[in-house]
Coordinates of all heavy atoms in Angstrom, one line a residue:
M1 N -4.7 -30.3 -18.7 CA -4.5 -28.9 -19.0 C -3.6 -28.8 -20.2 O -2.5 -29.3 -20.2 CB -3.9 -28.3 -17.7 CG -3.7 -26.8 -17.9 SD -3.4 -26.0 -16.3 CE -1.8 -25.4 -16.6
A2 N -4.0 -28.1 -21.2 CA -3.3 -27.9 -22.4 C -2.2 -26.8 -22.1 O -2.4 -25.8 -21.4 CB -4.2 -27.4 -23.5
V3 N -1.0 -27.1 -22.7 CA 0.1 -26.2 -22.5 C 0.1 -25.2 -23.8 O 0.1 -25.7 -24.9 CB 1.4 -26.9 -22.4 CG1 2.6 -26.0 -22.3 CG2 1.4 -27.8 -21.2
A4 N 0.2 -23.9 -23.5 CA 0.2 -23.0 -24.6 C 1.6 -23.0 -25.3 O 2.6 -23.3 -24.6 CB -0.1 -21.6 -24.1
A5 N 1.6 -22.7 -26.5 CA 2.9 -22.7 -27.3 C 3.7 -21.6 -26.7 O 3.3 -20.5 -26.4 CB 2.6 -22.5 -28.8
A6 N 5.0 -21.9 -26.5 CA 6.0 -20.9 -26.1 C 6.3 -20.0 -27.2 O 6.5 -20.4 -28.3 CB 7.2 -21.6 -25.5
R7 N 6.4 -18.7 -26.9 CA 6.7 -17.7 -27.9 C 7.9 -16.9 -27.4 O 8.0 -16.5 -26.2 CB 5.6 -16.8 -28.1 CG 4.3 -17.6 -28.6 CD 3.3 -16.9 -29.3 NE 3.9 -16.1 -30.4 CZ 3.2 -15.8 -31.4 NH1 2.0 -16.1 -31.5 NH2 3.8 -15.1 -32.4
P8 N 8.9 -16.6 -28.2 CA 10.0 -15.8 -27.8 C 9.7 -14.4 -27.3 O 8.8 -13.8 -27.9 CB 11.0 -15.8 -29.0 CG 10.1 -16.2 -30.1 CD 8.9 -16.9 -29.6
V9 N 10.4 -14.0 -26.3 CA 10.3 -12.6 -25.8 C 11.7 -12.1 -25.5 O 12.5 -12.8 -24.9 CB 9.4 -12.6 -24.4 CG1 9.4 -11.2 -23.8 CG2 8.0 -13.1 -24.7
A10 N 11.9 -10.9 -25.9 CA 13.2 -10.3 -25.7 C 13.2 -9.4 -24.4 O 12.2 -8.7 -24.2 CB 13.7 -9.5 -26.9
I11 N 14.2 -9.5 -23.6 CA 14.4 -8.6 -22.5 C 15.8 -8.0 -22.6 O 16.7 -8.6 -23.1 CB 14.2 -9.3 -21.1 CG1 15.2 -10.4 -20.9 CG2 12.8 -9.8 -21.0 CD1 15.2 -10.9 -19.5
K12 N 15.9 -6.8 -22.0 CA 17.2 -6.1 -22.0 C 17.7 -6.2 -20.6 O 17.1 -5.7 -19.7 CB 17.0 -4.7 -22.5 CG 16.6 -4.6 -23.9 CD 16.4 -3.1 -24.3 CE 15.9 -3.0 -25.8 NZ 15.7 -1.7 -26.2
I13 N 18.9 -6.7 -20.5 CA 19.6 -6.7 -19.2 C 21.1 -6.2 -19.4 O 21.6 -6.3 -20.5 CB 19.6 -8.1 -18.5 CG1 20.3 -9.2 -19.5 CG2 18.2 -8.5 -18.2 CD1 20.4 -10.5 -18.8
D14 N 21.6 -5.6 -18.4 CA 23.0 -5.1 -18.5 C 24.0 -6.3 -18.6 O 23.7 -7.4 -18.3 CB 23.3 -4.2 -17.4 CG 23.2 -4.9 -16.0 OD1 24.1 -5.6 -15.7 OD2 22.2 -4.7 -15.3
E15 N 25.2 -6.0 -19.0 CA 26.2 -7.0 -19.2 C 26.6 -7.7 -17.9 O 26.9 -8.9 -17.9 CB 27.5 -6.4 -19.9 CG 27.3 -6.0 -21.3 CD 26.9 -7.1 -22.3 OE1 27.5 -8.2 -22.1 OE2 26.0 -7.0 -23.1
D16 N 26.6 -7.0 -16.8 CA 27.0 -7.6 -15.6 C 25.9 -8.6 -15.2 O 26.3 -9.8 -14.8 CB 27.1 -6.5 -14.5 CG 27.5 -7.1 -13.1 OD1 28.5 -7.8 -13.1 OD2 26.7 -6.9 -12.1
T17 N 24.7 -8.3 -15.3 CA 23.6 -9.3 -15.0 C 23.7 -10.5 -15.9 O 23.5 -11.6 -15.5 CB 22.2 -8.6 -15.0 OG1 22.2 -7.5 -14.1 CG2 21.1 -9.6 -14.7
K18 N 23.9 -10.2 -17.2 CA 24.0 -11.3 -18.2 C 25.1 -12.2 -17.8 O 25.0 -13.5 -17.8 CB 24.3 -10.7 -19.5 CG 24.3 -11.7 -20.6 CD 24.5 -11.0 -22.0 CE 24.6 -12.0 -23.1 NZ 24.8 -11.4 -24.4
A19 N 26.3 -11.7 -17.4 CA 27.4 -12.5 -17.0 C 27.1 -13.3 -15.7 O 27.5 -14.5 -15.6 CB 28.7 -11.7 -16.8
R20 N 26.4 -12.7 -14.8 CA 26.0 -13.4 -13.5 C 25.1 -14.6 -13.8 O 25.2 -15.6 -13.3 CB 25.3 -12.4 -12.6 CG 26.3 -11.4 -12.0 CD 25.6 -10.3 -11.2 NE 24.8 -10.8 -10.1 CZ 23.8 -10.2 -9.6 NH1 23.4 -9.0 -10.0 NH2 23.2 -10.7 -8.5
V21 N 24.1 -14.3 -14.7 CA 23.2 -15.4 -15.1 C 24.0 -16.5 -15.8 O 23.7 -17.7 -15.5 CB 22.1 -14.9 -16.1 CG1 21.3 -16.0 -16.7 CG2 21.2 -13.9 -15.3
K22 N 24.9 -16.2 -16.6 CA 25.7 -17.2 -17.3 C 26.5 -18.0 -16.3 O 26.5 -19.3 -16.4 CB 26.6 -16.6 -18.4 CG 27.3 -17.6 -19.2 CD 28.2 -16.9 -20.3 CE 28.9 -18.0 -21.1 NZ 30.0 -17.6 -21.8
R23 N 27.1 -17.4 -15.4 CA 27.9 -18.1 -14.4 C 27.1 -19.0 -13.5 O 27.4 -20.2 -13.3 CB 28.7 -17.1 -13.5 CG 29.9 -16.5 -14.1 CD 30.8 -15.8 -13.0 NE 30.1 -14.8 -12.3 CZ 30.0 -13.5 -12.8 NH1 30.6 -13.1 -13.9 NH2 29.3 -12.6 -12.0
L24 N 25.9 -18.5 -13.1 CA 25.0 -19.3 -12.3 C 24.5 -20.5 -13.1 O 24.4 -21.6 -12.6 CB 23.9 -18.5 -11.7 CG 23.0 -19.2 -10.7 CD1 23.7 -19.7 -9.5 CD2 21.9 -18.2 -10.3
A25 N 24.1 -20.3 -14.3 CA 23.6 -21.3 -15.2 C 24.7 -22.4 -15.3 O 24.3 -23.6 -15.3 CB 23.2 -20.8 -16.5
E26 N 25.9 -22.0 -15.6 CA 27.0 -23.0 -15.7 C 27.2 -23.8 -14.4 O 27.3 -25.0 -14.4 CB 28.3 -22.3 -16.1 CG 28.3 -21.8 -17.5 CD 29.5 -20.9 -17.8 OE1 30.3 -20.6 -16.9 OE2 29.6 -20.5 -19.0
A27 N 27.1 -23.1 -13.3 CA 27.2 -23.8 -12.0 C 26.1 -24.8 -11.7 O 26.3 -25.8 -11.1 CB 27.3 -22.7 -10.8
R28 N 24.9 -24.5 -12.2 CA 23.7 -25.3 -12.0 C 23.6 -26.3 -13.2 O 22.6 -27.1 -13.2 CB 22.5 -24.5 -11.9 CG 22.4 -23.5 -10.8 CD 22.2 -24.3 -9.5 NE 22.1 -23.3 -8.4 CZ 23.0 -22.9 -7.6 NH1 24.2 -23.4 -7.7 NH2 22.8 -22.1 -6.6
Q29 N 24.5 -26.3 -14.1 CA 24.5 -27.2 -15.3 C 23.1 -27.0 -16.0 O 22.5 -28.0 -16.4 CB 24.7 -28.6 -14.9 CG 26.1 -28.8 -14.3 CD 26.4 -30.2 -14.0 OE1 25.6 -31.1 -13.9 NE2 27.7 -30.5 -13.7
R30 N 22.8 -25.8 -16.2 CA 21.6 -25.4 -17.0 C 21.9 -24.3 -18.0 O 23.0 -23.8 -17.9 CB 20.5 -24.8 -16.0 CG 20.0 -25.7 -15.0 CD 19.1 -26.8 -15.6 NE 18.4 -27.6 -14.6 CZ 17.4 -28.4 -14.9 NH1 17.0 -28.5 -16.1 NH2 16.9 -29.1 -13.9
T31 N 21.0 -24.0 -18.9 CA 21.3 -23.0 -19.8 C 20.8 -21.6 -19.2 O 19.9 -21.6 -18.3 CB 20.5 -23.2 -21.1 OG1 19.1 -23.1 -20.8 CG2 20.9 -24.5 -21.8
P32 N 21.4 -20.5 -19.6 CA 20.9 -19.2 -19.2 C 19.4 -19.1 -19.5 O 18.7 -18.5 -18.7 CB 21.7 -18.2 -19.9 CG 23.0 -18.9 -20.2 CD 22.6 -20.4 -20.5
H33 N 19.0 -19.6 -20.6 CA 17.6 -19.5 -21.0 C 16.7 -20.2 -19.9 O 15.7 -19.6 -19.5 CB 17.4 -20.1 -22.4 CG 15.9 -20.2 -22.8 ND1 15.2 -21.4 -22.6 CD2 15.1 -19.3 -23.3 CE1 14.0 -21.2 -23.0 NE2 13.9 -20.0 -23.5
W34 N 17.1 -21.4 -19.5 CA 16.3 -22.1 -18.5 C 16.3 -21.4 -17.2 O 15.2 -21.3 -16.6 CB 16.9 -23.5 -18.3 CG 16.1 -24.4 -17.3 CD1 15.2 -25.2 -17.7 CD2 16.2 -24.4 -15.9 NE1 14.7 -25.8 -16.5 CE2 15.3 -25.3 -15.4 CE3 17.0 -23.7 -15.0 CZ2 15.1 -25.5 -14.1 CZ3 16.9 -23.9 -13.6 CH2 15.9 -24.8 -13.2
L35 N 17.4 -20.8 -16.8 CA 17.5 -20.1 -15.6 C 16.6 -18.9 -15.6 O 15.9 -18.6 -14.6 CB 19.0 -19.7 -15.3 CG 19.3 -19.3 -13.9 CD1 19.3 -20.5 -13.0 CD2 20.7 -18.6 -13.9
M36 N 16.6 -18.1 -16.7 CA 15.8 -16.9 -16.7 C 14.3 -17.3 -16.7 O 13.5 -16.6 -16.1 CB 16.1 -16.1 -18.0 CG 17.5 -15.4 -17.8 SD 17.9 -14.3 -19.2 CE 18.4 -15.5 -20.4
R37 N 13.9 -18.4 -17.5 CA 12.5 -18.8 -17.5 C 12.1 -19.2 -16.1 O 11.0 -18.8 -15.6 CB 12.3 -20.0 -18.4 CG 12.2 -19.6 -19.9 CD 11.9 -20.8 -20.8 NE 10.6 -21.3 -20.4 CZ 10.2 -22.5 -20.5 NH1 11.0 -23.5 -20.9 NH2 9.0 -22.9 -20.1
E38 N 12.9 -20.0 -15.4 CA 12.6 -20.4 -14.1 C 12.4 -19.2 -13.1 O 11.5 -19.2 -12.3 CB 13.7 -21.4 -13.5 CG 13.4 -22.0 -12.2 CD 12.2 -23.0 -12.2 OE1 11.8 -23.4 -13.3 OE2 11.7 -23.2 -11.1
A39 N 13.3 -18.3 -13.2 CA 13.2 -17.1 -12.4 C 11.9 -16.3 -12.6 O 11.3 -15.9 -11.7 CB 14.4 -16.2 -12.6
I40 N 11.6 -16.2 -13.9 CA 10.3 -15.5 -14.2 C 9.1 -16.2 -13.7 O 8.2 -15.7 -13.1 CB 10.2 -15.2 -15.7 CG1 11.3 -14.2 -16.1 CG2 8.8 -14.7 -16.1 CD1 11.5 -14.0 -17.6
I41 N 9.1 -17.5 -13.9 CA 8.0 -18.4 -13.4 C 7.8 -18.3 -11.9 O 6.7 -18.1 -11.4 CB 8.2 -19.8 -13.9 CG1 8.0 -19.9 -15.4 CG2 7.2 -20.8 -13.1 CD1 8.4 -21.3 -16.0
Q42 N 8.9 -18.4 -11.2 CA 8.9 -18.3 -9.7 C 8.4 -16.9 -9.3 O 7.6 -16.8 -8.3 CB 10.2 -18.7 -9.1 CG 10.6 -20.1 -9.2 CD 11.9 -20.5 -8.5 OE1 12.4 -19.7 -7.6 NE2 12.5 -21.6 -8.9
Y43 N 8.9 -15.9 -9.9 CA 8.5 -14.5 -9.5 C 7.0 -14.3 -9.8 O 6.3 -13.8 -8.9 CB 9.3 -13.5 -10.3 CG 8.8 -12.1 -10.1 CD1 9.3 -11.4 -9.0 CD2 7.9 -11.5 -10.9 CE1 8.9 -10.1 -8.7 CE2 7.5 -10.2 -10.7 CZ 8.0 -9.5 -9.6 OH 7.5 -8.2 -9.3
V44 N 6.5 -14.7 -10.9 CA 5.1 -14.6 -11.2 C 4.2 -15.4 -10.3 O 3.2 -14.9 -9.8 CB 4.8 -14.9 -12.7 CG1 3.3 -14.9 -13.0 CG2 5.5 -13.9 -13.6
D45 N 4.6 -16.6 -10.0 CA 3.9 -17.4 -9.1 C 3.8 -16.8 -7.7 O 2.7 -16.7 -7.1 CB 4.5 -18.8 -8.9 CG 4.3 -19.7 -10.1 OD1 3.4 -19.4 -11.0 OD2 5.0 -20.8 -10.1
R46 N 4.9 -16.3 -7.2 CA 5.0 -15.6 -5.9 C 4.1 -14.4 -5.9 O 3.3 -14.1 -4.9 CB 6.4 -15.3 -5.5 CG 6.5 -14.7 -4.1 CD 8.0 -14.3 -3.8 NE 8.4 -13.2 -4.7 CZ 9.5 -13.3 -5.5 NH1 10.3 -14.4 -5.5 NH2 9.9 -12.3 -6.2
E47 N 4.2 -13.6 -6.9 CA 3.5 -12.3 -6.9 C 2.0 -12.6 -7.1 O 1.2 -11.8 -6.6 CB 4.0 -11.4 -8.0 CG 5.4 -10.9 -7.7 CD 5.5 -10.2 -6.4 OE1 4.7 -9.3 -6.1 OE2 6.4 -10.5 -5.6
E48 N 1.6 -13.6 -7.8 CA 0.2 -13.9 -7.9 C -0.4 -14.4 -6.6 O -1.5 -14.0 -6.2 CB 0.0 -15.1 -8.9 CG 0.1 -14.6 -10.4 CD 0.0 -15.7 -11.4 OE1 0.2 -16.9 -11.0 OE2 -0.3 -15.5 -12.5
R49 N 0.4 -15.1 -5.8 CA 0.0 -15.5 -4.5 C -0.2 -14.3 -3.6 O -1.1 -14.2 -2.8 CB 0.9 -16.5 -3.8 CG 0.8 -17.9 -4.4 CD 1.5 -19.0 -3.7 NE 2.9 -18.7 -3.4 CZ 3.9 -19.0 -4.3 NH1 3.7 -19.6 -5.4 NH2 5.2 -18.7 -4.0
R50 N 0.8 -13.4 -3.7 CA 0.7 -12.1 -2.9 C -0.5 -11.3 -3.2 O -1.2 -10.8 -2.4 CB 2.0 -11.2 -3.1 CG 3.1 -11.5 -2.3 CD 4.2 -10.5 -2.5 NE 5.4 -10.9 -1.8 CZ 6.5 -10.3 -1.9 NH1 6.7 -9.3 -2.7 NH2 7.5 -10.7 -1.1
E51 N -0.8 -11.2 -4.5 CA -2.0 -10.4 -4.9 C -3.2 -11.1 -4.5 O -4.2 -10.4 -4.1 CB -2.0 -10.2 -6.5 CG -3.1 -9.4 -7.0 CD -3.2 -8.0 -6.4 OE1 -2.2 -7.5 -5.9 OE2 -4.3 -7.4 -6.4
A52 N -3.3 -12.4 -4.5 CA -4.5 -13.1 -4.1 C -4.7 -12.9 -2.6 O -5.8 -12.7 -2.1 CB -4.4 -14.6 -4.4
F53 N -3.6 -12.9 -1.8 CA -3.6 -12.6 -0.4 C -4.1 -11.2 -0.1 O -5.0 -11.0 0.8 CB -2.3 -12.9 0.3 CG -2.2 -12.6 1.7 CD1 -2.8 -13.5 2.6 CD2 -1.7 -11.5 2.3 CE1 -2.7 -13.3 4.0 CE2 -1.7 -11.2 3.6 CZ -2.2 -12.2 4.5
R54 N -3.6 -10.3 -0.9 CA -4.0 -8.9 -0.8 C -5.5 -8.7 -1.1 O -6.2 -8.0 -0.3 CB -3.2 -8.0 -1.7 CG -3.4 -6.5 -1.5 CD -2.5 -5.7 -2.4 NE -3.1 -5.6 -3.7 CZ -4.0 -4.6 -4.0 NH1 -4.5 -3.8 -3.1 NH2 -4.5 -4.6 -5.2
Q55 N -6.0 -9.4 -2.1 CA -7.4 -9.3 -2.4 C -8.3 -9.9 -1.3 O -9.3 -9.4 -1.0 CB -7.7 -10.0 -3.8 CG -7.1 -9.3 -5.0 CD -7.7 -7.9 -5.1 OE1 -8.8 -7.6 -4.9 NE2 -6.8 -6.9 -5.5
D56 N -7.8 -11.1 -0.8 CA -8.5 -11.7 0.3 C -8.6 -10.8 1.5 O -9.6 -10.7 2.2 CB -7.9 -13.0 0.7 CG -8.1 -14.1 -0.3 OD1 -8.9 -14.0 -1.2 OD2 -7.4 -15.2 -0.2
T57 N -7.5 -10.1 1.8 CA -7.5 -9.2 2.9 C -8.4 -8.0 2.7 O -9.2 -7.6 3.6 CB -6.0 -8.6 3.1 OG1 -5.1 -9.7 3.3 CG2 -5.9 -7.6 4.2
L58 N -8.5 -7.5 1.5 CA -9.4 -6.4 1.2 C -10.9 -6.8 1.3 O -11.7 -6.1 1.9 CB -9.2 -5.8 -0.2 CG -7.8 -5.1 -0.4 CD1 -7.6 -4.7 -1.8 CD2 -7.8 -3.8 0.5
Q59 N -11.1 -8.1 0.9 CA -12.5 -8.6 1.0 C -12.9 -8.8 2.5 O -14.0 -8.5 2.9 CB -12.6 -9.9 0.2 CG -12.6 -9.7 -1.3 CD -12.6 -11.0 -2.0 OE1 -12.6 -12.1 -1.5 NE2 -12.6 -10.9 -3.4
A60 N -11.9 -9.3 3.2 CA -12.2 -9.5 4.7 C -12.4 -8.2 5.4 O -13.3 -8.1 6.2 CB -11.0 -10.3 5.3
W61 N -11.7 -7.2 5.0 CA -11.8 -5.9 5.6 C -13.2 -5.3 5.3 O -13.9 -4.8 6.1 CB -10.7 -4.9 5.2 CG -10.9 -3.5 5.6 CD1 -11.2 -2.4 4.9 CD2 -10.9 -3.0 7.0 NE1 -11.3 -1.3 5.6 CE2 -11.1 -1.6 6.9 CE3 -10.7 -3.6 8.2 CZ2 -11.2 -0.9 8.1 CZ3 -10.8 -2.9 9.4 CH2 -11.0 -1.5 9.3
E62 N -13.6 -5.4 4.0 CA -14.9 -5.0 3.6 C -16.1 -5.7 4.3 O -17.1 -5.1 4.7 CB -15.1 -5.0 2.1 CG -14.3 -4.0 1.4 CD -14.6 -2.6 1.8 OE1 -15.7 -2.2 2.0 OE2 -13.6 -1.8 2.0
A63 N -15.9 -7.0 4.5 CA -16.9 -7.8 5.2 C -17.0 -7.4 6.7 O -18.1 -7.3 7.2 CB -16.5 -9.3 5.1
F64 N -15.8 -7.1 7.3 CA -15.8 -6.6 8.7 C -16.5 -5.3 8.8 O -17.3 -5.1 9.7 CB -14.4 -6.5 9.2 CG -14.3 -5.8 10.5 CD1 -14.8 -6.4 11.7 CD2 -13.8 -4.5 10.6 CE1 -14.7 -5.7 12.9 CE2 -13.8 -3.8 11.8 CZ -14.2 -4.4 12.9
R65 N -16.2 -4.4 7.8 CA -16.9 -3.1 7.9 C -18.4 -3.2 7.7 O -19.1 -2.4 8.2 CB -16.3 -2.2 6.8 CG -14.9 -1.8 7.1 CD -14.3 -0.9 6.1 NE -15.1 0.3 5.9 CZ -14.9 1.2 4.9 NH1 -14.0 0.9 4.0 NH2 -15.7 2.2 4.8
A66 N -18.8 -4.2 6.9 CA -20.3 -4.4 6.6 C -21.0 -5.0 7.8 O -22.1 -4.6 8.1 CB -20.5 -5.2 5.4
N67 N -20.3 -6.0 8.5 CA -21.1 -6.8 9.5 C -20.5 -6.7 10.9 O -21.1 -7.1 11.9 CB -21.3 -8.2 9.1 CG -20.0 -9.0 9.0 OD1 -19.0 -8.7 9.7 ND2 -19.9 -9.9 8.0
G68 N -19.2 -6.2 11.0 CA -18.6 -6.0 12.3 C -18.2 -7.3 13.0 O -17.7 -7.3 14.1
Q69 N -18.4 -8.5 12.4 CA -18.0 -9.7 13.0 C -16.5 -9.9 13.1 O -15.8 -9.6 12.2 CB -18.6 -10.9 12.3 CG -20.1 -10.9 12.4 CD -20.7 -12.2 11.8 OE1 -20.1 -12.8 11.0 NE2 -21.9 -12.6 12.3
H70 N -16.1 -10.4 14.3 CA -14.6 -10.5 14.6 C -14.4 -11.4 15.7 O -15.3 -11.8 16.4 CB -14.0 -9.1 14.9 CG -14.5 -8.5 16.2 ND1 -15.8 -8.0 16.3 CD2 -14.0 -8.5 17.4 CE1 -16.0 -7.6 17.5 NE2 -14.9 -7.9 18.2
V71 N -13.1 -11.8 15.9 CA -12.7 -12.4 17.1 C -11.6 -11.5 17.7 O -10.9 -10.8 17.0 CB -12.1 -13.9 16.9 CG1 -13.2 -14.8 16.4 CG2 -10.9 -13.8 16.0
T72 N -11.5 -11.6 19.0 CA -10.4 -10.8 19.7 C -9.1 -11.4 19.5 O -8.9 -12.6 19.1 CB -10.7 -10.6 21.2 OG1 -10.5 -11.9 21.8 CG2 -12.1 -10.1 21.5
G73 N -8.1 -10.6 19.7 CA -6.7 -11.1 19.6 C -6.4 -12.2 20.6 O -5.8 -13.2 20.3
D74 N -7.0 -12.0 21.8 CA -6.8 -13.1 22.8 C -7.5 -14.4 22.4 O -6.9 -15.5 22.6 CB -7.4 -12.6 24.2 CG -6.6 -11.5 24.8 OD1 -5.4 -11.4 24.5 OD2 -7.1 -10.8 25.7
Q75 N -8.7 -14.3 21.8 CA -9.4 -15.5 21.3 C -8.5 -16.2 20.2 O -8.4 -17.4 20.2 CB -10.7 -15.2 20.8 CG -11.8 -14.8 21.8 CD -13.0 -14.3 21.1 OE1 -13.0 -13.4 20.2 NE2 -14.2 -14.8 21.6
A76 N -8.0 -15.4 19.3 CA -7.2 -16.0 18.2 C -6.0 -16.6 18.8 O -5.6 -17.7 18.3 CB -6.9 -14.9 17.2
D77 N -5.3 -15.9 19.7 CA -4.1 -16.5 20.3 C -4.3 -17.8 21.0 O -3.6 -18.7 20.9 CB -3.5 -15.5 21.3 CG -2.8 -14.3 20.6 OD1 -2.5 -14.4 19.4 OD2 -2.5 -13.3 21.3
A78 N -5.4 -17.8 21.8 CA -5.8 -19.1 22.5 C -6.0 -20.2 21.5 O -5.6 -21.4 21.7 CB -7.0 -18.8 23.4
W79 N -6.8 -19.9 20.4 CA -7.1 -20.9 19.4 C -5.8 -21.4 18.7 O -5.6 -22.6 18.6 CB -8.1 -20.4 18.4 CG -8.4 -21.2 17.3 CD1 -8.9 -22.5 17.3 CD2 -8.1 -21.0 15.9 NE1 -9.0 -23.0 16.0 CE2 -8.5 -22.1 15.1 CE3 -7.6 -19.9 15.2 CZ2 -8.4 -22.1 13.7 CZ3 -7.5 -19.9 13.8 CH2 -7.9 -21.0 13.1
L80 N -4.9 -20.5 18.4 CA -3.7 -20.9 17.7 C -2.8 -21.7 18.6 O -2.1 -22.6 18.2 CB -3.0 -19.6 17.2 CG -3.7 -18.9 16.0 CD1 -3.0 -17.6 15.7 CD2 -3.7 -19.8 14.8
A81 N -2.8 -21.3 19.9 CA -2.0 -22.1 20.9 C -2.5 -23.6 21.0 O -1.7 -24.5 21.1 CB -2.1 -21.4 22.3
Q82 N -3.8 -23.7 20.9 CA -4.4 -25.1 20.9 C -3.9 -25.9 19.7 O -3.6 -27.0 19.8 CB -5.9 -25.0 21.0 CG -6.4 -24.6 22.4 CD -6.1 -25.7 23.4 OE1 -6.3 -26.9 23.2 NE2 -5.6 -25.2 24.6
L83 N -4.0 -25.2 18.5 CA -3.6 -25.9 17.3 C -2.1 -26.2 17.3 O -1.7 -27.3 16.9 CB -3.9 -25.0 16.1 CG -5.3 -24.7 15.7 CD1 -5.4 -23.7 14.6 CD2 -6.1 -26.0 15.4
E84 N -1.3 -25.3 17.9 CA 0.1 -25.6 18.0 C 0.4 -26.8 18.9 O 1.4 -27.5 18.6 CB 0.8 -24.3 18.6 CG 2.3 -24.3 18.5 CD 2.9 -23.0 19.0 OE1 2.6 -22.5 20.1 OE2 3.6 -22.4 18.2
Q85 N -0.4 -27.0 19.9 CA -0.2 -28.2 20.7 C -0.7 -29.5 20.1 O -0.7 -30.5 20.7 CB -0.9 -27.9 22.1 CG -0.3 -26.8 22.9 CD -1.1 -26.5 24.1 OE1 -2.0 -27.2 24.5 NE2 -0.7 -25.4 24.8
G86 N -1.3 -29.4 18.9 CA -1.7 -30.5 18.2 C -3.2 -30.9 18.4 O -3.7 -31.9 18.0
N87 N -3.9 -30.0 19.1 CA -5.3 -30.2 19.4 C -6.1 -29.7 18.2 O -5.9 -28.6 17.7 CB -5.8 -29.4 20.6 CG -5.0 -29.9 21.9 OD1 -4.7 -31.0 22.0 ND2 -4.7 -28.9 22.7
D88 N -7.1 -30.6 17.8 CA -7.9 -30.2 16.6 C -9.2 -29.5 17.1 O -10.2 -30.2 17.5 CB -8.3 -31.5 15.8 CG -9.0 -31.2 14.6 OD1 -8.9 -30.0 14.1 OD2 -9.7 -32.1 14.0
V89 N -9.1 -28.2 17.3 CA -10.2 -27.5 17.8 C -10.8 -26.5 16.8 O -10.1 -26.1 15.9 CB -9.8 -26.6 19.1 CG1 -9.4 -27.6 20.2 CG2 -8.6 -25.7 18.7
D90 N -12.1 -26.3 16.9 CA -12.8 -25.3 16.0 C -12.3 -23.9 16.3 O -12.0 -23.6 17.5 CB -14.3 -25.4 16.2 CG -14.8 -26.8 15.7 OD1 -14.2 -27.3 14.7 OD2 -15.9 -27.2 16.2
P91 N -12.3 -23.1 15.3 CA -12.0 -21.7 15.6 C -13.0 -21.0 16.5 O -14.2 -21.5 16.5 CB -12.0 -21.0 14.2 CG -12.7 -21.9 13.3 CD -12.6 -23.3 13.9
P92 N -12.7 -19.9 17.1 CA -13.7 -19.3 18.0 C -14.8 -18.7 17.2 O -14.6 -18.3 16.0 CB -12.8 -18.2 18.7 CG -11.6 -18.0 17.9 CD -11.4 -19.3 17.2
A93 N -15.9 -18.5 17.8 CA -17.1 -18.0 17.1 C -16.9 -16.5 16.9 O -16.4 -15.8 17.8 CB -18.4 -18.2 17.9
C94 N -17.3 -15.9 15.8 CA -17.2 -14.5 15.6 C -18.3 -13.8 16.4 O -19.3 -14.4 16.7 CB -17.5 -14.2 14.1 SG -16.1 -14.7 13.0
R95 N -18.0 -12.6 16.8 CA -19.0 -11.8 17.5 C -19.1 -10.4 16.9 O -18.2 -10.0 16.2 CB -18.6 -11.7 19.0 CG -17.3 -11.1 19.3 CD -16.9 -11.2 20.7 NE -16.0 -10.2 21.1 CZ -15.5 -10.0 22.3 NH1 -15.8 -10.9 23.2 NH2 -14.7 -9.0 22.6
S96 N -20.1 -9.7 17.2 CA -20.3 -8.4 16.6 C -19.9 -7.3 17.5 O -19.8 -7.5 18.7 CB -21.8 -8.2 16.3 OG -22.3 -9.1 15.3

């Protein structure tokens, strides 16, 4: 996978936040630049996963509305309990 060239971006933060970043960077023996990049990368990764989960949820809801297939809460609980006990069991069959 090719890495895109890094380009500078300016952000505005208040003096208090800037000082906090600097103190934390010193404590971690990193630069403030590294710390801010890492924070942005982690935030974007987390939010992309949240958005993917949200999209999956919307697709599942639309599929349910279209075909009505589902498992009951009791069926799901029983299946999860089996998995929790270490049993390799198939998920319950969907029903309409």
Side-chain angles (χ1 to χ4, degrees):
M1 180 167 121
V3 176
R7 304 201 53 153
V9 174
I11 62 169
K12 295 179 182 179
I13 57 175
D14 59 79
E15 290 299 320
D16 181 54
T17 302
K18 184 178 178 180
R20 291 170 60 203
V21 168
K22 185 177 182 201
R23 280 192 303 272
L24 186 57
E26 288 170 355
R28 299 289 186 262
Q29 298 180 346
R30 297 287 187 168
T31 64
H33 173 263
W34 184 92
L35 196 73
M36 289 184 282
R37 280 188 61 212
E38 185 66 18
I40 291 169
I41 290 166
Q42 287 183 23
Y43 175 82
V44 171
D45 287 348
R46 182 182 67 236
E47 292 304 310
E48 284 175 339
R49 285 190 307 273
R50 273 189 186 169
E51 182 58 23
F53 180 76
R54 191 179 81 82
Q55 291 299 321
D56 288 348
T57 302
L58 292 173
Q59 289 174 358
W61 174 246
E62 288 305 316
F64 168 73
R65 289 181 58 194
N67 62 33
Q69 290 188 336
H70 67 283
V71 296
T72 66
D74 289 340
Q75 289 173 310
D77 286 343
W79 174 61
L80 292 171
Q82 288 292 315
L83 293 177
E84 192 174 53
Q85 293 174 11
N87 300 324
D88 187 19
V89 295
D90 291 331
C94 290
R95 59 189 208 181
S96 297

